[in-house]
Amino acid sequence: MLNPKRAWIRQLVALAILLALWEAAGRAGHLNPLYMPMPSSIWGALVELFSGSRIWIHMEATFTAALVGLALGIVVGIVLGVVAALVPVIAELLEPVMLLLNAVPRVILAPLFVIWLGIGLASKVALAFILVAVVIFFTVFTGIRQVDRRLVERIVTLGGDRSALLRHVYLPSVTAWVLGNLKVVVGFAFTGAVVGEFVAASRGLGYLLSFAQSTFNPALMMALVLLIMVVVLVIFGLASRLEKRLLRWN
Amino acid sequence: MRVRDLSLSYGGEPVLVGVSLQVGKGQYVSLVGPSGSGKSSLLRAVIGLHKPSAGRVEFECAPADVGILFQDDALLPWRTARDNVALGLGFRGMERGKALAEAEAWLARFGLSGLGDRYPSRLSGGQRKRVALAQVLALKPKFLLMDEPFASLDAIVRARISQELVELVERERISVLHVTHDLEEAIALSDTVHLLSQGPRARITQHYPVPIPRPRQLVRAHMHPAFAPLLERLWRDLSREVDTDSRAEAA
């Protein structure tokens, strides 16, 4: 019988076998290293990336863009969502814009942001921001409209006023919805930052990626993809710890 | 509390017509009727959640002295049981430490000591209902309005919570208006039962005083000689209401 607790061992073994086969095929000359570099050369590229201090500059650029965009996107998304849910006129004006932004793949705005804001940090922040803000807006906007009426009545019949409603019902509800989407928007923030750098930049992981492409260096490219995956996974882990902590009542 | 000639419409449709009833100090009054007769609407009008089209509701106590308990009462899921009970006390301006101590005492009174730190998701249905009850009763209401508060509970839990409630109500001389479709529950708990006719255009057709003495043990109340005849009468009258309605429909 399969013990579900040992699943990770089987997964690890499968990965090791795959990598070994891949490496063996490469060494035997069955794979063209220009298209499919061996795991050992990808590892080599990764080690080389971290041997100098330059990688930290790029990491810092990407992290800054993603996290600033994430923070701004969450704050602006919440504010707009709350205002739209409470003021019908604002909802009328905002909803079509948001629907449009939601319908298109928002990364197509990257070249526009480069023209408006230059190739520096600002255009990457803007892209991460717009990716995050739209999701948060809809989460909060629909969430507030669907807030549990029974909770509202309960607070009112217990003698709570508007500020009590805000503090005990609306604020915790909004927090729960935002946290429920935290992983999604963290992923979006990094997508925004990396794609923005890929389009035009002088630093960042996305910039390194486009550099690897233009110099036809597949080992570096795969090393970078791996690095970005690990980085986002670590952030995911932090996000779900935060989620568990703040939603421990669930 | 007194309700005078209260009428209520819902989107132009008359739901209640000329309903009058009175609940004296320390009296337990139940309102029974077929489903859809507007029992809950009447209660919501009494609280002020519906605006009546005619008539008046008069309370002798302040709005702050009225406690309300609904069937689907929701506790704040993000607050512990203790915080939930302390909520209303906080709204009344009680200092937090004191409110929490008071809440703990109320939890203990309903057999929930040691569960104060639990979130509602970690409590059973009966425990949640007790927390909701403690939340309302901690405010020391002089008047209690209830709309099928125990409908979602299983029979044993329901009987136990009802007994706890009736003891408290008798001791503190709390006046109660209780809406239910459970005739036995209505008789066992009440001093007077009112029958609401089949809606729409429902009105109160009968009053039944319950001659069972207090303090009451609810299980024994069922065995009181007056219980069975009263239940039979109520049942007959209620069935007639429903029949009249279906005959009218057929016509």
Side-chain angles (χ1 to χ4, degrees), chain B residues 183-201:
Chain B
L183 302 182
E184 296 186 34
E185 180 179 74
I187 297 171
L189 290 168
S190 315
D191 300 308
T192 311
V193 180
H194 293 286
L195 178 64
L196 205 59
S197 68
Q198 177 77 42
R201 307 183 68 83

Side-chain angles (χ1 to χ4, degrees), chain A residues 210-232:
Chain A
S210 92
F211 171 79
Q213 185 198 27
S214 59
T215 55
F216 218 91
N217 187 344
L220 177 59
M221 229 184 278
M222 290 195 184
L224 284 166
V225 169
L226 198 65
L227 177 60
I228 293 170
M229 278 181 185
V230 170
V231 163
V232 174

